[in-house]
Amino acid sequence: MATFELKVIAIDKVFYHGKCQQVIVSTADGSIGIMSHHENSVFALVEGSMRIQMEDGNWIEAVAGIGHVQVAYNRVTILVDFAERPEEIDEHRAKEALERAQEAMRQKQSIQEYHMSQANMARAMARLAVKKHYIKDK
């Protein structure tokens, strides 16, 4: 299978840089798969799972935050606010973050605080979903 250059950059690290066969990311319209020689384009990402099929056919499972994907000339660059492998996710901490966000949503707050609470809730839920899926498959 043909490969392409992929670079996944989170705020605090370069999550992945190298050749791969395909990458599957979460957009507002659902999951989208990108393979070699994909049409040049830009996609907005939402919190959710990200899967990378490396050159050898093995998959890297991850959870990624909001960001965007740029596909240009058989190179893909993904910029996200966070990217973590399931084994890096602290399930207890993610559950606590979800509870805090849910409590904040019940409180009377400004529109800015409301959107921040929504983002925190989405991030926690994405982490828990990927962690649950990863544990189930093991």
Side-chain angles (χ1 to χ4, degrees):
M1 188 178 259
T3 62
F4 60 93
E5 187 76 24
L6 173 66
K7 192 168 193 177
V8 179
I9 305 168
I11 288 174
D12 59 343
K13 63 186 172 192
V14 174
F15 180 78
Y16 181 86
H17 185 220
K19 297 274 187 184
C20 72
Q21 294 181 23
Q22 66 178 311
V23 61
I24 301 170
V25 293
S26 300
T27 69
D29 295 328
S31 294
I32 186 166
I34 300 167
M35 298 176 77
S36 185
H37 304 292
H38 191 284
E39 182 179 18
N40 294 348
S41 51
V42 175
F43 303 103
L45 298 179
V46 296
E47 291 92 351
S49 66
M50 176 174 59
R51 300 182 70 213
I52 301 168
Q53 187 178 21
M54 299 183 299
E55 281 185 290
D56 61 7
N58 290 326
W59 288 89
I60 296 174
E61 303 281 339
V63 61
I66 60 172
H68 77 274
V69 177
Q70 177 189 22
V71 182
Y73 308 107
N74 210 34
R75 292 183 180 191
V76 177
T77 304
I78 300 175
L79 299 172
V80 291
D81 62 350
F82 71 91
E84 297 173 326
R85 293 193 167 140
E87 57 270 16
E88 298 172 341
I89 298 169
D90 182 348
E91 189 173 4
H92 180 71
R93 190 170 149 229
K95 285 180 181 177
E96 287 178 347
L98 178 60
E99 289 171 7
R100 283 193 307 271
Q102 288 172 333
E103 179 59 33
M105 292 289 285
R106 287 190 284 271
Q107 304 298 320
K108 195 171 197 177
Q109 51 188 344
S110 71
I111 192 71
Q112 183 178 4
E113 292 169 330
Y114 173 79
H115 288 297
M116 185 63 85
S117 297
Q118 263 188 329
N120 290 339
M121 187 180 304
R123 186 178 312 116
M125 290 172 64
R127 284 182 169 135
L128 289 170
V130 168
K131 183 73 172 185
K132 181 179 177 183
H133 184 273
Y134 177 77
I135 290 170
K136 183 176 74 173
D137 288 349
K138 286 288 180 172

